[in-house]
């Protein structure tokens, strides 16, 4: 047999194993609210090839691909346990098992590693938490996709309604079509049907009521059977506490804004300051996509090196706020055609850092250039550090942060020498460190941080909503502190 035939046979064998994993992963998710991860990347609803590629990602951790034959026994062991709602990382289980010298079987080791989620220790399933989307634009539709994807057994977040202004004939059909197909993020993974008579969109079995209103005061959510809901405002029309309080109607308990909050509204970047949310806080903001991109690596650099000052320059994809062709706009320059120009504008991300990182005393300035791409941006973070270092040390540190720290869901890391912006469409991280572009000279460091300003940000919004709703389940094995 030739080498090529050996490689092909090996590939087919791994495909077969990955196929056998899919129903196990799905059953754990649907029936027990268990999300199976592999080095912090979810394997739920993933294809055979996606599962194999995720195993290959482990090369960044151990220098070699994680064998799917190595992780399957841990997955099988989970099915034998009285496992409660949790997230279980079979990549970390395999890695820890390799380092363990107690001579335990895979089943014994797995039982011990997830003991906090089994038997008398397991968390009981919580009732599902209602979610309402106020506005259904770019972020609203991506958040809807994520909520539907994560519905699991139905005991987590449940998208119950979207609130929009009436758009005329076939309004609901057109909105469903925009959810079904997206020019950047591709087709919706599942089925969508429309019940115009009852003003309902059914997506993968999730019945979503479409409510038409021009103002929050027009809606009584209890009339639709909605209670204690978390309302996600995607319009950005109201940004202060007074304005956002309009959403606190019958049936709504908390309001989450997908834009920078003003005044005393907390700006939350999950992974950095979400633990600071007070249980009785009813109104909060998820800040901006750029704030979410720069704050996690800024915190990481400050923790290790100290940051004396910094400047962030964002090269940002154009947004719906700009004009397709030259036309009046209340802001300077933004009236010029977005697909034809680079447009210098401002960013509030630098000033928002103080809200998310109050202990950081370093002055951070910022500016932005909008460029003719539809999605994925890059933040160039220039820092004056508290001590001298070198490029190799900084890259190794950030690589480790992306793989092993509490910020690993926020910070990703790439060494690809030919990566360009479109390669990061669909990234679930809030920023991706580009190793090849990183510059370090003594106490000066320049980081190039890619981010999907639509999808990566939407993932951060969902993480915040999961946290405040109480359906953010613990991860096993417990991540390093």
């Amino acid at each position: 047999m030739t080498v090529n035939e050996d490689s092909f046979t090996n590939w087919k064998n791994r495909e077969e194993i990955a196929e056998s994993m899919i129903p196990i992963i799905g059953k754990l998710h649907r029936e027990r609210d268990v999300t199976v991860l592999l080095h912090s990347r979810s394997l739920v609803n993933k294809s055979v090839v996606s599962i194999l590629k995720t195993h290959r990602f482990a090369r960044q951790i151990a220098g070699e691909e994680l064998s799917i034959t190595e992780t399957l026994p841990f997955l099988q062991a989970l099915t034998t346990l009285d496992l409660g709602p949790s997230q279980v990382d079979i990549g970390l289980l395999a890695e820890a098992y390799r380092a363990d010298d107690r001579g335990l079987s895979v089943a014994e080791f797995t039982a011990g590693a997830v003991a906090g989620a089994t038997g008398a220790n397991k968390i009981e399933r919580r009732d599902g938490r209602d979610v309402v989307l106020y506005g259904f634009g770019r972020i609203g539709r991506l958040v809807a996709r994520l909520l539907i994807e994560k519905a699991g057994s139905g005991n987590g977040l449940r998208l119950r309604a979207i609130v929009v202004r009436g758009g005329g004939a076939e309004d609901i059909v057109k909105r469903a079509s925009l959810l079904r197909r997206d020019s950047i993020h591709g087709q919706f993974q599942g089925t969508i049907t429309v019940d115009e008579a009852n003003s309902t969109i059914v997506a993968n079995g999730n019945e979503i009521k479409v409510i038409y209103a021009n103002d929050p005061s027009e809606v009584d959510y209890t009339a639709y059977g909605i209670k204690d809901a978390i309302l996600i405002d995607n319009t950005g029309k109201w940004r202060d506490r007074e304005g956002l309080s309009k959403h606190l109607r019958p049936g709504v308990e908390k309001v989450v804004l997908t834009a920078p909050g003003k005044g005393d509204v907390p700006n939350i970047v999950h992974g950095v300051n979400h633990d600071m949310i007070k249980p009785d806080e009813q109104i909060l903001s998820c800040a901006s996509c750029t704030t979410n991109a720069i704050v996690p690596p800024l915190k990481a650099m400050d923790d290790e090196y100290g940051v004396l000052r910094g400047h962030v320059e964002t090269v940002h994809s154009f947004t719906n706020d700009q004009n397709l062709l030259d036309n009046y706009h209340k802001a300077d320059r933004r009236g010029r055609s977005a697909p034809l120009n680079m447009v210098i504008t401002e960013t509030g991300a630098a000033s928002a850092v103080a809200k998310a990182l109050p202990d950081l005393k370093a002055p951070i300035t910022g500016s932005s250039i909008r460029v003719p791409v539809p999605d994925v941006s890059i933040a160039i973070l220039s820092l004056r550090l508290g001590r001298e270092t070198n490029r190799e040390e900084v890259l190794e540190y950030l690589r480790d942060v992306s793989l092993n720290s509490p910020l690993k869901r926020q910070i990703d890391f790439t060494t690809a020498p030919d990566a360009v912006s479109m390669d990061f469409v669909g990234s679930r991280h809030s920023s991706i460190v580009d190793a090849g572009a990183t510059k370090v000279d003594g106490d000066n460091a320049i980081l190039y941080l890619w981010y999907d300003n639509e999808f990566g940000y939407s993932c951060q919004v969902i993480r915040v909503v999961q946290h405040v709703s109480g359906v953010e389940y613990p991860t096993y094995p417990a991540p390093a502190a």
Side-chain angles (χ1 to χ4, degrees):
M1 184 177 289
T2 68
V3 172
N4 286 339
E5 288 173 331
D6 281 339
S7 297
F8 185 68
T9 300
N10 177 264
W11 172 260
K12 301 304 289 184
N13 289 338
R14 289 188 292 150
E15 273 190 324
E16 185 176 357
I17 295 171
E19 285 173 353
S20 72
M21 284 181 152
I22 291 174
I24 300 174
I25 294 166
K27 189 172 183 180
L28 285 169
H29 188 57
R30 287 191 309 275
E31 297 183 2
R32 305 194 201 178
D33 282 332
V34 175
T35 300
V36 177
L37 311 173
L38 194 138
H39 287 301
S40 79
R41 285 158 162 77
S42 174
L43 297 183
V44 176
N45 293 329
K46 295 298 186 289
S47 67
V48 168
V49 171
S50 180
I51 290 173
L52 292 173
K53 287 181 70 175
T54 306
H55 278 76
R56 196 174 192 194
F57 164 76
R59 290 184 305 169
Q60 292 195 41
I61 300 163
E64 60 183 4
E65 186 170 336
L66 181 62
S67 171
I68 198 165
T69 59
E70 192 175 357
T71 57
L72 178 62
F74 293 96
L75 185 60
Q76 292 170 328
L78 294 177
T79 66
T80 68
L81 301 173
D82 181 22
L83 197 60
S86 56
Q87 299 185 100
V88 181
D89 195 315
I90 58 175
L92 292 181
L93 280 174
E95 186 178 291
Y97 183 67
R98 273 197 232 114
D100 191 78
D101 59 2
R102 291 174 292 170
L104 301 176
S105 67
V106 167
E108 291 169 334
F109 181 84
T110 302
V114 302
T118 59
N121 295 324
K122 71 179 182 181
I123 299 172
E124 291 303 318
R125 290 187 181 186
R126 301 183 178 97
D127 292 334
R129 189 64 178 269
D130 291 350
V131 178
V132 173
L133 295 179
Y134 198 96
F136 205 50
R138 298 297 302 152
I139 300 302
R141 292 194 295 273
L142 290 177
V143 168
R145 286 188 175 201
L146 287 164
L147 288 168
I148 295 163
E149 172 193 303
K150 296 177 180 296
S153 67
N155 292 308
L157 300 175
R158 302 183 305 185
L159 177 56
R160 297 293 307 281
I162 61 172
V163 184
V164 293
R165 289 177 293 183
E170 296 191 324
D171 179 275
I172 190 171
V173 173
K174 292 175 180 178
R175 294 187 189 277
S177 179
L178 286 169
L179 178 63
R180 183 182 291 114
R181 301 178 183 89
D182 190 283
S183 300
I184 296 168
H185 301 283
Q187 298 220 1
F188 174 79
Q189 296 301 302
T191 62
I192 293 175
T193 57
V194 175
D195 182 349
E196 287 189 84
N198 293 303
S199 193
T200 301
I201 296 173
V202 182
N204 289 359
N206 294 265
E207 293 189 1
I208 307 163
K209 189 73 175 180
V210 179
I211 302 170
Y212 293 101
N214 293 315
D215 187 83
S217 63
E218 299 177 10
V219 189
D220 177 351
Y221 295 98
T222 59
Y224 303 95
I226 296 169
K227 61 179 182 178
D228 301 327
I230 298 174
L231 183 145
I232 305 174
D233 184 328
N234 306 292
T235 68
K237 183 176 180 179
W238 304 278
R239 296 194 180 189
D240 59 11
R241 187 172 295 275
E242 181 182 0
L244 292 168
S245 293
K246 295 179 180 181
H247 290 302
L248 295 173
R249 305 279 300 152
V252 173
E253 184 183 25
K254 293 181 183 291
V255 179
V256 175
L257 171 66
T258 62
K262 295 182 178 180
D264 67 342
V265 175
N267 278 252
I268 305 301
V269 175
H270 192 275
V272 174
N273 67 338
H274 67 277
D275 291 337
M276 305 299 290
I277 301 173
K278 298 176 181 178
D280 60 350
E281 179 60 74
Q282 288 188 287
I283 295 173
L284 54 93
S285 157
C286 290
S288 70
C289 56
T290 302
T291 303
N292 277 266
I294 66 173
V295 166
L298 187 56
K299 179 185 185 326
M301 292 297 287
D302 188 50
D303 287 346
E304 180 66 18
Y305 301 102
V307 172
L308 303 182
R309 66 171 178 267
H311 176 81
V312 60
E313 188 77 35
T314 65
V315 182
H316 199 290
S317 56
F318 63 77
T319 68
N320 273 332
D321 174 67
Q322 296 171 257
N323 294 326
L324 285 175
L325 295 172
D326 290 1
N327 206 349
Y328 173 80
H329 195 292
K330 63 182 180 180
D332 294 338
R333 307 188 203 240
R334 288 200 189 189
R336 302 299 295 278
S337 172
L340 299 178
N341 294 287
M342 293 191 293
V343 179
I344 297 174
T345 186
E346 59 185 17
T347 175
S351 58
V353 168
K355 278 193 170 185
L357 280 177
D359 293 337
L360 180 69
K361 304 306 179 186
I364 306 293
T365 58
S367 55
S368 181
I369 302 172
R370 297 288 180 93
V371 294
V373 295
D375 187 30
V376 180
S377 305
I378 190 166
I380 305 168
L381 187 58
S382 180
L383 303 174
R384 175 76 180 277
L385 305 178
R387 67 175 174 87
E388 293 195 353
T389 181
N390 58 64
R391 183 172 181 271
E392 291 71 23
E393 181 188 338
V394 169
L395 288 178
E396 181 55 33
Y397 169 67
L398 291 174
R399 172 186 169 278
D400 184 66
V401 166
S402 75
L403 298 171
N404 301 309
S405 82
L407 290 171
K408 64 185 178 182
R409 296 172 76 190
Q410 283 72 41
I411 301 175
D412 203 359
F413 189 89
T414 181
T415 58
D418 52 356
V420 295
S421 60
M422 288 301 288
D423 296 325
F424 303 103
V425 170
S427 170
R428 294 180 181 237
H429 290 79
S430 54
S431 64
I432 306 100
V433 177
D434 191 310
T438 300
K439 307 284 190 296
V440 180
D441 181 12
D443 60 356
N444 289 297
I446 303 175
L447 308 182
Y448 287 73
L449 308 166
W450 298 102
Y451 58 109
D452 184 331
N453 47 277
E454 294 185 335
F455 195 72
Y457 175 69
S458 296
C459 289
Q460 282 286 88
V461 172
I462 290 294
R463 290 170 189 138
V464 170
V465 173
Q466 286 177 319
H467 179 74
V468 299
S469 70
V471 298
E472 187 178 42
Y473 296 126
T475 299
Y476 298 92

